[in-house]
Amino acid sequence: MSSMASQPAMRAQTGPEAVAWAERLRLANINPRTGLATDYLNHFNEAVMLLEMIPDMPECAEDFLTWSPLSYAEHFTASNFKARDLAIEAYEKAEPSVRAQFDHITDTMTSILTAVGSAMREVEKDSTRVRLAEQATAWVKPLIAACGGIINGGAEADVDTIMAN
């Protein structure tokens, strides 16, 4: 049985143990309401930063092409985040609907960035790489903001609306 199935949803917990758990999360820079950490967004911000450099320095496309997708757990396992094991545990215990919404958006960002990387590998003109980078940035930045809202317990994000804009 997974730890997710054996643990109640984060919001359903009450009492002194829940208070102690929330404090551990808060001290580790993990949102106690959602069980998610903004540190994971650094993975996507890095890709966007590289994409934003391409219009001025097309050779940065090669740097972007070294970016590879990482799941939440993979990111924290590979990171120097002090409470990485706690971050992974909290993610696994997060309320399923919050985690599903978060995963949907991060999966969308990963799909966009992976597709753009594939397209950049296929094209030869810097001008095409620049257009790809600009379009990907326009799509991914609002999704990063939406993920930040989910992590911080904000209103539900509507990915279709964000992508339409």
Side-chain angles (χ1 to χ4, degrees), residues 38-84:
T38 57
D39 189 83
Y40 181 53
L41 298 182
N42 292 339
H43 176 60
F44 297 101
N45 284 323
E46 174 189 354
V48 168
M49 179 190 70
L50 294 169
L51 287 168
E52 288 178 328
M53 294 169 65
I54 293 171
D56 295 325
M57 298 178 288
E59 64 276 10
C60 287
E62 294 303 317
D63 293 328
F64 169 72
L65 294 176
T66 65
W67 183 90
S68 61
L70 294 173
S71 70
Y72 193 89
E74 290 168 339
H75 167 78
F76 282 103
T77 299
S79 78
N80 292 324
F81 191 75
K82 284 192 287 188
R84 65 182 177 206

Coordinates of all heavy atoms in Angstrom, one line a residue, residues 38-84:
T38 N 7.6 25.7 -3.3 CA 7.8 26.5 -4.5 C 9.2 26.2 -5.1 O 9.4 26.5 -6.3 CB 7.8 28.0 -4.2 OG1 8.7 28.3 -3.2 CG2 6.4 28.5 -3.8
D39 N 10.1 25.6 -4.4 CA 11.4 25.2 -4.9 C 11.3 24.4 -6.2 O 12.2 24.6 -7.1 CB 12.2 24.4 -3.9 CG 13.6 24.2 -4.3 OD1 14.4 25.1 -4.1 OD2 14.0 23.2 -4.9
Y40 N 10.3 23.6 -6.4 CA 10.1 22.8 -7.6 C 10.0 23.8 -8.8 O 10.4 23.4 -9.9 CB 8.9 21.9 -7.5 CG 8.7 21.0 -8.7 CD1 9.7 20.2 -9.3 CD2 7.5 21.0 -9.4 CE1 9.5 19.4 -10.4 CE2 7.3 20.1 -10.5 CZ 8.3 19.4 -11.0 OH 8.1 18.6 -12.1
L41 N 9.4 24.9 -8.6 CA 9.2 25.8 -9.8 C 10.6 26.3 -10.3 O 10.6 26.8 -11.5 CB 8.3 27.0 -9.4 CG 6.9 26.6 -9.0 CD1 6.1 27.9 -8.6 CD2 6.2 25.8 -10.0
N42 N 11.6 26.3 -9.5 CA 12.9 26.6 -10.0 C 13.3 25.8 -11.2 O 14.0 26.3 -12.1 CB 14.0 26.5 -8.9 CG 13.8 27.5 -7.8 OD1 13.2 28.5 -8.0 ND2 14.4 27.2 -6.7
H43 N 12.9 24.6 -11.3 CA 13.2 23.7 -12.4 C 12.6 24.3 -13.7 O 13.3 24.3 -14.7 CB 12.6 22.3 -12.1 CG 12.7 21.3 -13.2 ND1 13.9 20.9 -13.7 CD2 11.8 20.6 -13.9 CE1 13.7 20.0 -14.6 NE2 12.4 19.8 -14.8
F44 N 11.4 24.8 -13.6 CA 10.8 25.4 -14.8 C 11.3 26.8 -15.1 O 11.5 27.2 -16.2 CB 9.3 25.4 -14.7 CG 8.7 24.0 -14.6 CD1 8.4 23.4 -13.4 CD2 8.6 23.2 -15.7 CE1 7.9 22.1 -13.3 CE2 8.2 21.9 -15.6 CZ 7.8 21.4 -14.4
N45 N 11.6 27.6 -14.0 CA 12.1 28.9 -14.2 C 13.5 28.9 -14.9 O 13.8 29.8 -15.6 CB 12.3 29.6 -12.8 CG 10.9 30.1 -12.3 OD1 10.1 30.6 -13.1 ND2 10.7 30.0 -11.0
E46 N 14.3 27.8 -14.6 CA 15.6 27.7 -15.3 C 15.4 27.6 -16.8 O 16.1 28.2 -17.6 CB 16.3 26.5 -14.7 CG 17.6 26.1 -15.4 CD 18.2 24.8 -15.1 OE1 17.7 24.1 -14.1 OE2 19.1 24.4 -15.7
A47 N 14.4 26.7 -17.2 CA 14.2 26.5 -18.6 C 13.7 27.9 -19.2 O 14.1 28.2 -20.3 CB 13.1 25.5 -18.8
V48 N 12.8 28.6 -18.6 CA 12.3 29.8 -19.1 C 13.4 30.9 -19.2 O 13.6 31.6 -20.2 CB 11.1 30.4 -18.2 CG1 10.8 31.8 -18.6 CG2 9.9 29.5 -18.4
M49 N 14.3 30.9 -18.2 CA 15.4 31.8 -18.2 C 16.3 31.6 -19.5 O 16.7 32.5 -20.2 CB 16.3 31.7 -17.0 CG 17.5 32.6 -16.9 SD 18.6 32.2 -15.6 CE 19.3 30.7 -16.1
L50 N 16.6 30.3 -19.7 CA 17.4 30.0 -20.9 C 16.6 30.3 -22.2 O 17.2 30.8 -23.1 CB 17.7 28.5 -20.9 CG 18.6 28.0 -19.8 CD1 18.7 26.5 -19.7 CD2 20.0 28.6 -20.0
L51 N 15.3 30.1 -22.3 CA 14.5 30.4 -23.4 C 14.6 32.0 -23.7 O 14.6 32.4 -24.8 CB 13.1 30.0 -23.3 CG 12.9 28.5 -23.4 CD1 11.5 28.1 -23.0 CD2 13.1 28.0 -24.9
E52 N 14.5 32.7 -22.6 CA 14.5 34.2 -22.7 C 15.8 34.8 -23.2 O 15.8 35.9 -23.7 CB 14.1 34.8 -21.4 CG 12.7 34.6 -21.0 CD 12.3 35.2 -19.6 OE1 13.1 35.2 -18.7 OE2 11.1 35.6 -19.5
M53 N 16.9 34.0 -23.1 CA 18.2 34.4 -23.5 C 18.3 34.2 -25.0 O 19.2 34.9 -25.7 CB 19.3 33.7 -22.8 CG 19.3 34.1 -21.3 SD 20.4 33.1 -20.3 CE 22.0 33.5 -21.0
I54 N 17.6 33.3 -25.6 CA 17.8 32.9 -27.0 C 17.6 34.1 -28.0 O 18.4 34.2 -28.9 CB 16.9 31.7 -27.4 CG1 17.4 30.5 -26.6 CG2 16.9 31.4 -28.9 CD1 16.5 29.2 -26.7
P55 N 16.6 35.0 -27.9 CA 16.4 36.1 -28.8 C 17.7 37.0 -28.9 O 18.0 37.4 -30.0 CB 15.2 36.9 -28.3 CG 14.4 35.8 -27.6 CD 15.4 34.9 -26.9
D56 N 18.4 37.2 -27.8 CA 19.6 38.0 -27.8 C 20.8 37.2 -28.1 O 21.8 37.8 -28.6 CB 19.7 38.8 -26.5 CG 18.6 39.8 -26.2 OD1 18.1 40.4 -27.2 OD2 18.2 39.9 -25.1
M57 N 20.8 36.0 -27.7 CA 22.0 35.1 -27.9 C 21.5 33.7 -28.4 O 21.3 32.8 -27.6 CB 22.8 35.0 -26.6 CG 23.3 36.3 -26.0 SD 24.2 36.1 -24.5 CE 22.8 35.8 -23.3
P58 N 21.3 33.6 -29.7 CA 20.8 32.4 -30.2 C 21.6 31.1 -29.9 O 21.0 30.0 -29.8 CB 20.8 32.6 -31.7 CG 20.7 34.1 -31.9 CD 21.5 34.6 -30.7
E59 N 22.8 31.3 -29.6 CA 23.7 30.1 -29.1 C 23.2 29.5 -27.8 O 23.5 28.4 -27.5 CB 25.2 30.5 -29.1 CG 25.5 31.5 -28.1 CD 25.4 33.0 -28.5 OE1 24.8 33.3 -29.6 OE2 25.8 33.9 -27.7
C60 N 22.4 30.3 -27.1 CA 21.9 29.8 -25.8 C 20.8 28.7 -26.0 O 20.5 28.0 -25.1 CB 21.2 30.9 -25.0 SG 22.5 32.0 -24.2
A61 N 20.4 28.5 -27.3 CA 19.5 27.4 -27.6 C 20.2 26.1 -27.1 O 19.5 25.1 -26.6 CB 19.1 27.4 -29.0
E62 N 21.5 26.0 -27.3 CA 22.2 24.7 -26.9 C 22.1 24.5 -25.4 O 22.0 23.4 -25.0 CB 23.6 24.8 -27.4 CG 23.8 24.8 -28.9 CD 23.2 23.6 -29.6 OE1 23.3 22.4 -29.0 OE2 22.6 23.7 -30.6
D63 N 22.2 25.6 -24.7 CA 22.0 25.5 -23.2 C 20.6 25.0 -22.8 O 20.4 24.1 -22.0 CB 22.3 26.8 -22.5 CG 23.8 27.2 -22.7 OD1 24.6 26.3 -22.7 OD2 24.0 28.4 -22.7
F64 N 19.6 25.6 -23.5 CA 18.2 25.1 -23.3 C 18.1 23.6 -23.6 O 17.4 22.9 -22.8 CB 17.2 25.9 -24.1 CG 15.8 25.3 -24.0 CD1 15.1 25.4 -22.9 CD2 15.3 24.7 -25.1 CE1 13.8 24.8 -22.8 CE2 14.0 24.1 -25.1 CZ 13.3 24.2 -23.9
L65 N 18.7 23.2 -24.6 CA 18.6 21.8 -25.0 C 19.2 20.8 -24.0 O 18.9 19.6 -24.1 CB 19.2 21.6 -26.4 CG 18.4 22.3 -27.5 CD1 19.1 22.1 -28.9 CD2 17.0 21.8 -27.6
T66 N 19.9 21.3 -23.0 CA 20.4 20.4 -22.0 C 19.4 20.2 -20.9 O 19.6 19.3 -20.0 CB 21.8 20.9 -21.4 OG1 21.5 22.2 -20.7 CG2 22.8 21.1 -22.5
W67 N 18.4 21.1 -20.8 CA 17.3 21.0 -19.8 C 16.6 19.7 -20.0 O 16.3 19.3 -21.2 CB 16.4 22.1 -19.9 CG 15.3 22.2 -18.9 CD1 15.4 22.7 -17.7 CD2 14.0 21.6 -19.0 NE1 14.2 22.5 -17.0 CE2 13.3 21.8 -17.7 CE3 13.3 20.8 -19.9 CZ2 12.0 21.4 -17.5 CZ3 12.0 20.4 -19.7 CH2 11.4 20.7 -18.5
S68 N 16.3 19.0 -18.9 CA 15.5 17.8 -19.1 C 14.4 17.7 -18.0 O 14.6 18.3 -16.9 CB 16.4 16.5 -19.0 OG 17.1 16.4 -17.8
P69 N 13.3 17.1 -18.3 CA 12.2 17.1 -17.3 C 12.5 16.3 -16.1 O 13.2 15.3 -16.2 CB 11.0 16.5 -18.1 CG 11.6 15.9 -19.3 CD 13.0 16.5 -19.5
L70 N 12.0 16.8 -15.0 CA 12.2 16.1 -13.7 C 10.8 16.1 -13.0 O 10.2 17.2 -13.0 CB 13.2 16.8 -12.8 CG 14.6 16.8 -13.2 CD1 15.5 17.6 -12.3 CD2 15.2 15.3 -13.3
S71 N 10.4 15.0 -12.4 CA 9.2 15.0 -11.6 C 9.5 15.7 -10.3 O 10.6 16.1 -10.0 CB 8.8 13.6 -11.3 OG 9.7 13.0 -10.4
Y72 N 8.5 16.0 -9.6 CA 8.6 16.6 -8.3 C 9.6 15.9 -7.4 O 10.6 16.4 -6.9 CB 7.2 16.7 -7.6 CG 7.1 17.6 -6.4 CD1 6.8 18.9 -6.5 CD2 7.3 17.1 -5.1 CE1 6.7 19.8 -5.4 CE2 7.2 17.9 -4.0 CZ 6.9 19.3 -4.2 OH 6.7 20.1 -3.1
A73 N 9.4 14.6 -7.3 CA 10.3 13.8 -6.4 C 11.7 13.7 -7.0 O 12.7 13.8 -6.3 CB 9.8 12.3 -6.3
E74 N 11.9 13.6 -8.3 CA 13.2 13.6 -9.0 C 13.9 14.9 -8.7 O 15.1 15.0 -8.4 CB 13.1 13.4 -10.5 CG 12.7 12.0 -10.8 CD 12.3 11.8 -12.3 OE1 11.9 12.8 -13.0 OE2 12.3 10.7 -12.8
H75 N 13.2 16.0 -8.8 CA 13.8 17.4 -8.6 C 14.3 17.4 -7.2 O 15.5 17.8 -7.0 CB 12.7 18.5 -8.8 CG 13.2 19.8 -8.3 ND1 14.1 20.6 -8.9 CD2 12.9 20.5 -7.1 CE1 14.3 21.7 -8.2 NE2 13.6 21.6 -7.1
F76 N 13.5 17.1 -6.2 CA 14.0 17.2 -4.8 C 15.1 16.2 -4.5 O 16.0 16.5 -3.7 CB 12.8 17.1 -3.8 CG 12.1 18.4 -3.7 CD1 10.9 18.5 -4.4 CD2 12.6 19.5 -3.1 CE1 10.2 19.7 -4.4 CE2 11.9 20.7 -3.0 CZ 10.7 20.8 -3.7
T77 N 15.0 15.0 -5.0 CA 16.1 14.0 -4.8 C 17.4 14.5 -5.3 O 18.4 14.3 -4.7 CB 15.7 12.6 -5.5 OG1 14.5 12.2 -4.9 CG2 16.8 11.6 -5.3
A78 N 17.4 15.2 -6.4 CA 18.6 15.7 -7.0 C 19.1 17.1 -6.5 O 20.2 17.5 -6.7 CB 18.5 15.8 -8.5
S79 N 18.2 17.7 -5.6 CA 18.5 19.1 -5.2 C 19.3 19.1 -3.9 O 19.5 18.1 -3.2 CB 17.2 19.8 -5.0 OG 16.6 19.4 -3.8
N80 N 19.7 20.3 -3.5 CA 20.4 20.5 -2.2 C 19.4 21.1 -1.2 O 19.8 21.6 -0.2 CB 21.5 21.5 -2.4 CG 22.6 20.9 -3.2 OD1 22.9 19.7 -3.1 ND2 23.3 21.7 -4.0
F81 N 18.1 21.0 -1.5 CA 17.0 21.4 -0.6 C 17.2 20.7 0.7 O 17.2 19.5 0.7 CB 15.7 21.2 -1.3 CG 14.5 21.8 -0.6 CD1 14.3 23.2 -0.7 CD2 13.6 21.1 0.2 CE1 13.2 23.8 -0.1 CE2 12.5 21.6 0.8 CZ 12.3 23.0 0.6
K82 N 17.3 21.4 1.8 CA 17.6 20.8 3.1 C 16.6 19.8 3.5 O 16.9 18.8 4.1 CB 17.7 21.9 4.2 CG 19.0 22.7 4.2 CD 19.2 23.5 5.4 CE 18.2 24.7 5.4 NZ 18.5 25.7 6.5
A83 N 15.3 20.1 3.2 CA 14.3 19.2 3.7 C 13.7 18.4 2.5 O 12.5 18.2 2.4 CB 13.2 20.0 4.4
R84 N 14.5 17.9 1.6 CA 14.0 17.3 0.4 C 13.2 16.1 0.7 O 12.2 15.8 0.0 CB 15.2 17.0 -0.6 CG 16.2 16.0 -0.1 CD 17.3 15.8 -1.1 NE 18.3 14.9 -0.6 CZ 19.5 14.9 -0.9 NH1 19.9 15.8 -1.8 NH2 20.4 14.1 -0.4

